[in-house]
Amino acid sequence: FMGRFNEPRKGLKVLIDALPIISRFMPNVRVLVAGPGDSEEFLKDIDPQLRSRIEFLGRLTEEEKADFMSSVGAYVGPNTGGESFGIILAEALAGGAAVVASDIPAFAAVLQNGKFGRLFKSEDSTDLAKVIIDLLRDRDARDQMAKLGQEYAQKFDWDRSEEHTSELQSQR
């Protein structure tokens, strides 16, 4: 997870609510949380048995963000709404992460309705758990999805976008 985790619409609570189910099937699963916020305040409402599975990394530099995305088994975007595009998903894809995201319109659009990442029903922690478990159990499918997603994410590269925009303007 990456984002302002104390902000409810970013959806970290949805991911944490899925954790008991996920950990039954994936006993070594951990949730890495990157971004600003008060981790102690957030953890006080979390089941003490789950706290050891959650690691807060704080705010990451751009370089650290790329390393983070390439090192995780899956990037989860559990946002509940209010996203206009989903740049974080494009960054996760570009970094080589397999992506699981809520089916809010902006995220479904970035992932082309599940073609480049798995979608789950927004705010449904049980559905999120199922999608994550299925993805983590099938390493080949996860690796293939990450590879396709990384190739697809090149279309979001600023230099390429600038070239594409210039081409469109010259065609007018």
Side-chain angles (χ1 to χ4, degrees), residues 41-60:
E41 178 69 22
F42 189 87
L43 283 173
K44 77 177 187 180
D45 296 328
I46 305 298
D47 178 340
Q49 293 181 332
L50 295 177
R51 288 180 192 161
S52 64
R53 295 182 178 278
I54 305 166
E55 182 178 347
F56 289 87
L57 306 174
R59 195 180 294 261
L60 302 180

Side-chain angles (χ1 to χ4, degrees), residues 1-3 19 28 34 43 48 52 55-56 64 79-80 89 104 113-114 124 139 142 159 162:
F1 176 90
M2 186 176 296
L19 192 53
N28 297 322
L43 283 173
S52 64
E55 182 178 347
F56 289 87
E64 290 169 333
N79 305 49
T80 62
L89 298 186
I104 61 174
N113 293 314
D124 186 335
R139 185 178 190 100
R142 186 174 73 238
D159 292 334
E162 210 170 29

Side-chain angles (χ1 to χ4, degrees), residues 4 9 12 14 21-22 36 42 45 49 72-73 82 86 106 108 111 171:
R4 295 178 307 276
R9 72 181 181 90
L12 181 57
V14 177
I21 300 168
I22 298 166
F42 189 87
D45 296 328
Q49 293 181 332
V72 295
L111 297 177
Q171 292 173 4

Side-chain angles (χ1 to χ4, degrees), residues 65-66 68-70 72 74-76 85-101 106-112 114-118 142-157:
K65 193 186 299 187
F68 175 78
M69 294 300 187
S70 68
V72 295
Y75 174 78
V76 181
F85 172 69
I87 190 71
I88 191 64
L89 298 186
E91 291 174 331
L93 291 168
V99 173
V100 174
F107 285 6
V110 169
L111 297 177
Q112 292 197 352
K115 184 175 179 182
F116 297 105
R118 302 271 170 87
R142 186 174 73 238
D143 290 348
Q144 180 65 19
M145 186 175 72
K147 182 176 183 255
L148 287 173
Q150 193 169 32
E151 291 168 3
Y152 164 69
Q154 291 178 19
K155 92 175 227 172
F156 299 114
D157 180 83

Side-chain angles (χ1 to χ4, degrees), residues 162-172:
E162 210 170 29
E163 288 172 20
H164 183 68
T165 302
S166 294
E167 285 173 25
L168 290 174
Q169 288 176 341
S170 67
Q171 292 173 4
R172 287 186 182 170

Side-chain angles (χ1 to χ4, degrees), residues 124-135:
D124 186 335
S125 58
T126 302
D127 191 40
L128 172 57
K130 180 189 178 311
V131 170
I132 289 174
I133 291 165
D134 289 347
L135 184 66

